[in-house]
Amino acid sequence: MYKTLSVHPKHIQDVQLAWRNKSQQQEINSNEALGRSLSLVIDNLFLKGQPVNRTNFLEICQILQLNWREVAGLDVRENMVFSNPASETWSKTDSTTIIKPIRTVQSRTVDEAINTLVATLCQMLAQITRKAGNLIGADRTSIFLIDQQSKEVGSLIAEDGAGGSLMIDVPMNKGIVGLAATKGKVINMPFDVYDDPRSEQAKKTDLKTGYRTYTILAWPLLNKQHEVVAIVQFINKLKGERNPQDDLSTRIDRNGFAPEDEVLFGKFTPSLLGILGKCQVCYQMAQKIKAGEEITQGGVVLQEAQLIAELNLREQQIRMSLDKLS
């Protein structure tokens, strides 16, 4: 089974047209019906032929009423020796196949600069998510960013257990993440989470992902104004000595996350807050540009070339931070 799927190059235009038609017919409200995170996946990954978590890929195809196997080009991929990336063309001379990448060099547009920036932000969030989880021995980790205006807790990145990412949206009044967000306090739920009446949201998420949650540590991150800006959720504390091939139920530490884990992660939170702060500033800037709002610098409205330069600079700064985490 494929862990991630991507739109086959020959179907890129088809899915873009299907998405455009849905949007124009107002059959989809990306901010409400889909949620901000899934919209992010569609705009920056799915429509560009980038790898998408299987669950998200199937859900998007269902929304667009498309055959997911056909869109992914599985039959073609399984029968071809060479794949055909969207950015490359292939030419033949007689009976010999020559692999010849041909790239069209064009000046970068604002949209391209935004997409590059957002893609790098997603990579950054994925990297720090895994780093945080490895720090205290969690099987899975999610970082939920808080939207203070909509009062929603939206996850930009959550591990899917297969090296990929799963996008989830959670209302602020739902689940352990929502409780940690509203209370602003650390919540440490021991084995077995399902025995706790507050675990309904966890059960729903497990039903969607096919995973099993046994223990949870939800940690709110507060800025200098003591506002909760994000929630880090660790799931399933693992034993120190374990066989990766064993079933999850035998690999988890039934004692759950210990006070020592909380102390260890507490030392990591200042640097994590700094990274998330940069990510949020860049993401908000990208969203304002997409919404057609003016971006000013020193009281002067930035023109297209200046916007592109600023977006490129922001992306390079995030990329440098990402390289340091690697």
Side-chain angles (χ1 to χ4, degrees):
M1 180 181 292
Y2 292 88
K3 298 174 182 177
T4 61
L5 295 167
S6 58
V7 177
H8 192 275
K10 72 176 183 179
H11 293 304
I12 292 289
Q13 291 184 344
D14 296 333
V15 298
Q16 290 176 346
L17 178 60
W19 174 247
R20 188 160 55 249
N21 289 339
K22 283 281 187 180
S23 301
Q24 289 175 350
Q25 296 166 11
Q26 296 184 335
E27 294 183 26
I28 293 179
N29 185 317
S30 59
N31 289 325
E32 296 178 6
L34 296 180
R36 292 173 296 106
S37 296
L38 189 57
S39 297
L40 186 69
V41 174
I42 294 173
D43 289 336
N44 296 284
L45 300 176
F46 182 81
L47 296 179
K48 293 177 170 51
Q50 297 298 313
V52 175
N53 172 272
R54 180 186 177 89
T55 302
N56 287 146
F57 190 92
L58 267 59
E59 182 178 355
I60 295 167
C61 287
Q62 184 177 12
I63 291 170
L64 298 180
Q65 298 179 332
L66 298 172
N67 183 316
W68 69 270
R69 287 188 62 85
E70 182 180 353
V71 168
L74 293 183
D75 295 336
V76 175
R77 292 179 188 181
E78 290 165 358
N79 294 324
M80 289 181 65
V81 177
F82 297 108
S83 62
N84 185 13
S87 60
E88 299 180 345
T89 59
W90 309 81
S91 61
K92 288 187 176 181
T93 301
D94 299 326
S95 60
T96 305
T97 300
I98 302 175
I99 302 175
K100 183 180 179 183
I102 303 174
R103 303 182 185 274
T104 302
V105 180
Q106 298 177 336
S107 59
R108 174 174 283 190
T109 66
V110 172
D111 282 345
E112 289 172 336
I114 290 175
N115 291 335
T116 300
L117 173 60
V118 173
T120 303
L121 290 176
C122 288
Q123 291 179 40
M124 168 64 81
L125 288 168
Q127 188 77 6
I128 60 175
T129 297
R130 296 188 182 98
K131 187 177 182 70
N134 291 338
L135 185 67
I136 65 173
D139 188 49
R140 293 193 185 182
T141 309
S142 303
I143 295 181
F144 295 85
L145 301 181
I146 304 236
D147 187 327
Q148 294 295 341
Q149 293 183 343
S150 66
K151 298 302 178 185
E152 281 190 343
V153 181
S155 173
L156 286 184
I157 184 72
E159 291 181 282
D160 67 358
S165 304
L166 184 67
M167 304 300 171
I168 306 170
D169 280 311
V170 181
M172 193 173 283
N173 62 344
K174 299 287 186 179
I176 305 306
V177 171
L179 186 61
T182 54
K183 298 293 184 181
K185 295 181 180 179
V186 175
I187 298 176
N188 193 333
M189 297 180 67
F191 183 93
D192 181 355
V193 165
Y194 278 16
D195 295 333
D196 193 304
R198 300 172 295 177
S199 66
E200 286 305 311
Q201 188 64 43
K203 292 177 182 177
K204 290 179 181 178
T205 302
D206 285 356
L207 186 63
K208 180 178 180 180
T209 62
Y211 188 65
R212 176 58 160 95
T213 300
Y214 292 99
T215 59
I216 292 177
L217 175 63
W219 191 294
L221 296 175
L222 282 67
N223 60 18
K224 293 180 180 179
Q225 290 73 42
H226 301 287
E227 299 170 329
V228 179
V229 295
I231 304 292
V232 182
Q233 180 175 258
F234 302 98
I235 299 178
N236 291 339
K237 170 71 176 182
L238 298 174
K239 296 176 182 176
E241 296 183 2
R242 60 188 181 276
N243 185 346
Q245 304 303 320
D246 288 345
D247 186 75
L248 175 63
S249 61
T250 62
R251 287 186 286 120
I252 65 165
D253 185 342
R254 296 200 173 198
N255 293 317
F257 294 96
E260 293 80 7
D261 295 322
E262 296 187 26
V263 172
L264 184 59
F265 181 66
K267 295 178 180 178
F268 180 62
T269 55
S271 58
L272 181 57
L273 268 169
I275 294 171
L276 286 178
K278 291 179 182 178
C279 289
Q280 285 185 314
V281 168
C282 291
Y283 183 69
Q284 288 168 1
M285 178 183 178
Q287 291 302 96
K288 285 182 179 180
I289 295 173
K290 282 193 171 185
E293 297 181 29
E294 293 182 339
I295 304 297
T296 61
Q297 195 172 75
V300 179
V301 177
L302 297 182
Q303 301 304 310
E304 183 173 351
Q306 295 169 315
L307 272 178
I308 294 173
E310 182 65 20
L311 288 166
N312 289 343
L313 177 61
R314 300 269 185 173
E315 193 274 335
Q316 290 170 9
Q317 291 173 341
I318 296 294
R319 177 68 61 183
M320 289 175 63
S321 298
L322 181 59
D323 292 339
K324 290 178 181 179
L325 283 174
S326 302

